[in-house]
Amino acid sequence: MPQVPQTFLDALAVRTWCGLALGALGRAREEIDAINVYPVADGDTGTNLYLTVESAVTAVEAVFAGHEAVGRVPAAMPAPGGGEEAPSFADAVRAMAHGALIGARGNSGTILAQLLRGMAQVLAAESERPHTDAEGLRLALRHASDSARLAVAHPVEGTVLSVAAGAADAAGAAEGDCGAVARAAYRGACAALAATPGQLAVLERAGVVDAGGRGLVAVLAALVETLTGESPTAPAGVFRTVNSPDMLDTSGSPAAADPLDAEVCGDGPENGGPAFEVIYLLEAEDTAVDRLRRRLDALGDSLVVVGGDGLWNVHVHADDAGAAVEAGVEAGRPYRIRITHFGLDDVHARGGERPPRERVERAVVAVVPGEGLAGLYAEAGATTVLARPGEPPASGELVEAVRRAHAREVVLLPNDADLRHTAAAAAEQARTEGIRVALIPTRSAVQGIAALAVHQPERRFDEDVVSMTSAAGATRYAEVTVAERQSWTMAGICQAGDVLGLLDGDVAVIGADVTATAETVLDRMLSAGGELVTLVLGDEAPEGVAERLQARVREAYLAVDTVVYRGGRQGALLLIGVE
């Protein structure tokens, strides 16, 4: 159904734009995923852009829902633009930008989030205005392009940055209303996209245009449709790839695509590159982020830091994933940490001359409760999904992680009994996409560590899964935490502030001291025997607890070894595994 045109951009138009952009990226996702050659051939640009805009849509819809919930939307009161009453224009654009920021994925998604934030900074500057005019849209597109370029440590031409600049330049020269400015921006982006193979050699060799830029064109096409009611028609030949006569449709989706992609920034794969992609949200002051940029720039490449006002989205490729996360800890509070191992067989490690990488044979995807464990799992080769207290991952996030692993066979470790059904749903979805998935029902991160320790990808898949399942099942698990409120438990009534020792998920010990409670729990676990104790310390664990437990093992249990890991902000004060 054609959209009703609007001559200006207001809150309702922002809502419509986000919805149309999400639909366009959803239709184009697989095709955009298929053209990944720079800097890493991980085939997820379309997915990352889709998830970024999906987060923006969720945030905008939440603002509208909240507005309606407090009774500020009279059913029969028309808005100035002819539609129903809505949240303020400033609230809508800020929600769009914030949603994109917290949901940004990958290089392209992170830069798109900064583009939307740059627009919002201009559009929401006058908070009382109900909408923006053509001049406001011109300024917003210009600021979006400039701010996105500043967010990238080493901007590269022939990427989404070039496409954004082309859109801003064309919009700046346009005359007329908002619809005319949007049309000009779209055409400028089309022309810039068509030029990307001539700017970046790896694109020209592959015969494709930049994937991130292609996604931005789809987003701008949605803006044109929002403001004019018509889906724009691409100038003839603009979307031709170097080696293909096929063109994109008017939404910016390719009619056909090679199995390649073009991500956004970095030093390029020709000289090799780091093994891990590290992404996290960060609460930090501006001065700390300036230092963080310098630190991460020295650690790796493809560095993009976007955001402001105390909240940032950090993306970097690095060999030392732990150091990249630690840099965030030094700067502020990192969370929603995602670490992906590119693998030894991808174009990032081998150079850009080879064809697009095939899927690796096997990978492990694991949910982990803390930053330290995320680094540990990633260094062991796993693709991780961070689960913070009160923020369990959805099945869609697990499916995305399985896709990022880019393997024919995947072993999925949920590491939480409450995630059993979520993980099962994700596994089922991944199987419909042709990926062989085995779900090992690990109930704790220490069981996952045990499973990962015996993982041997060169074995037959079934043998590997059986071995990992056996190792996990042979690992008893416990945690020490603090009660948040009074509650009935298997060990009696606990009060808020009591120290709880949980064995295999049930409260077994109620105490007043963390170290003493942990000793009691450990003794109960080792009473049934054991050869190895694993301790994972949370950030709030008291000093000396690990040393005391290690000493207890040495004194009372001969031939039992102990290993200690730092889990970061993992919720529990202490995780214990005995195998």
Side-chain angles (χ1 to χ4, degrees):
M1 178 182 296
Q3 293 295 315
V4 177
Q6 293 193 223
T7 57
F8 49 78
L9 188 65
D10 64 1
L12 288 172
V14 169
R15 185 187 201 181
T16 300
W17 177 29
C18 289
L20 289 174
L22 184 65
L25 289 171
R27 292 188 296 273
R29 181 184 64 79
E30 291 184 1
E31 291 88 345
I32 296 176
D33 279 346
I35 55 168
N36 185 15
V37 294
Y38 177 77
V40 182
D42 49 1
D44 61 358
T45 297
T47 298
N48 287 337
L49 290 170
Y50 179 86
L51 291 170
T52 301
V53 174
E54 183 180 47
S55 183
V57 168
T58 299
V60 171
E61 291 300 326
V63 168
F64 273 81
H67 192 82
E68 294 166 1
V70 296
R72 290 184 292 172
V73 186
M77 183 179 293
E84 65 177 4
E85 193 73 31
S88 73
F89 177 51
D91 285 346
V93 294
R94 289 192 188 110
M96 173 185 71
H98 180 75
L101 176 67
I102 64 174
R105 307 296 179 92
N107 275 357
S108 295
T110 305
I111 291 181
L112 178 61
Q114 186 63 22
L115 288 167
L116 295 178
R117 176 179 168 80
M119 291 188 70
Q121 287 175 318
V122 173
L123 298 176
E126 298 182 31
S127 59
E128 299 305 316
R129 293 190 63 181
H131 57 78
T132 193
D133 56 14
E135 180 59 20
L137 185 55
R138 292 187 196 97
L139 293 174
L141 290 167
R142 177 79 272 161
H143 185 66
S145 174
D146 293 344
S147 64
R149 188 169 290 268
L150 288 174
V152 178
H154 302 286
V156 174
E157 297 304 328
T159 66
V160 66
L161 298 176
S162 303
V163 177
D169 291 344
E175 297 181 356
D177 60 11
C178 281
V181 172
R183 280 196 189 95
Y186 171 77
R187 289 171 182 157
C190 289
L193 179 63
T196 56
Q199 295 173 301
L200 200 55
V202 66
L203 300 181
E204 186 171 22
R205 286 195 299 271
V208 297
V209 293
D210 177 65
R214 181 176 286 172
L216 178 58
V217 165
V219 172
L220 290 172
L223 180 61
V224 174
E225 187 173 357
T226 298
L227 294 171
T228 68
E230 300 175 356
S231 182
T233 301
V238 161
F239 290 120
R240 292 182 188 274
T241 58
V242 175
N243 296 329
S244 171
D246 295 318
M247 302 195 308
L248 300 182
D249 64 25
T250 56
S251 70
S253 305
D258 296 324
L260 303 166
D261 183 19
E263 274 275 10
V264 179
C265 65
D267 297 325
E270 287 83 359
N271 298 318
F276 298 101
E277 179 184 54
V278 182
I279 307 172
Y280 50 82
L281 291 178
L282 177 69
E283 294 177 357
E285 299 297 325
D286 290 6
T287 53
V289 172
D290 290 339
R291 293 192 297 271
L292 174 67
R293 281 192 174 101
R294 293 192 292 272
R295 173 87 180 274
L296 293 178
D297 195 27
L299 282 176
D301 63 24
S302 297
L303 174 60
V304 186
V305 181
V306 305
D309 302 321
L311 180 63
W312 308 82
N313 192 304
V314 179
H315 173 282
V316 68
H317 296 170
D319 279 321
D320 191 339
V325 173
E326 182 63 30
V329 173
E330 292 175 2
R333 186 178 81 89
Y335 60 104
R336 291 194 185 180
I337 299 169
R338 295 189 301 277
I339 300 175
T340 303
H341 188 277
F342 290 126
L344 298 177
D345 194 40
D346 73 4
V347 71
H348 200 62
R350 293 287 194 88
E353 297 297 332
R354 54 162 287 180
R357 71 178 176 116
E358 296 182 357
R359 291 181 181 274
V360 297
E361 188 61 30
R362 190 175 308 156
V364 175
V365 172
V367 180
V368 292
E371 300 92 341
L373 281 176
L376 174 68
Y377 272 73
E379 287 169 9
T383 296
T384 63
V385 178
L386 190 69
R388 296 199 60 78
E391 298 181 15
S395 61
E397 292 181 76
L398 300 187
V399 172
E400 184 212 348
V402 171
R403 291 172 181 149
R404 284 190 284 120
H406 205 62
R408 295 185 179 88
E409 301 169 342
V410 170
V411 179
L412 182 57
L413 306 176
N415 291 339
D416 186 337
D418 291 337
L419 288 176
R420 181 176 69 256
H421 296 303
T422 300
E428 188 61 33
Q429 173 61 37
R431 291 181 188 118
T432 67
E433 299 177 11
I435 304 170
R436 188 180 185 188
V437 181
L439 172 60
I440 297 179
T442 48
R443 294 170 288 175
S444 170
V446 291
Q447 289 189 322
I449 291 173
L452 200 55
V454 300
H455 170 54
Q456 294 183 21
E458 67 275 7
R459 282 192 298 215
R460 290 179 56 250
F461 185 63
D462 291 341
E463 292 176 356
D464 197 28
V465 170
V466 168
S467 177
M468 295 176 71
T469 302
S470 177
T475 302
R476 299 185 296 283
Y477 66 96
E479 67 177 79
V480 177
T481 188
V482 176
E484 296 181 354
R485 58 185 179 276
Q486 184 186 64
S487 180
W488 290 88
T489 76
M490 297 289 290
I493 301 175
C494 71
Q495 305 295 328
D498 283 348
V499 180
L500 307 180
L502 287 80
L503 281 169
D504 294 332
D506 292 323
V507 176
V509 180
I510 301 174
D513 178 75
V514 172
T515 301
T517 301
E519 278 194 83
T520 301
V521 170
L522 184 58
D523 283 340
R524 291 195 184 185
M525 297 177 78
L526 287 172
S527 66
E531 298 176 352
L532 176 66
V533 173
T534 300
L535 304 175
V536 183
L537 301 177
D539 277 352
E540 297 181 3
E543 290 291 331
V545 63
E547 291 78 6
R548 180 69 195 100
L549 294 177
Q550 287 177 298
R552 174 66 179 164
V553 172
R554 286 194 301 269
E555 294 164 2
Y557 304 97
L558 298 177
V560 176
D561 295 323
T562 306
V563 293
V564 180
Y565 301 111
R566 295 283 175 179
R569 297 177 179 87
Q570 61 185 22
L573 299 174
L574 176 68
L575 301 178
I576 306 174
V578 172
E579 53 186 295

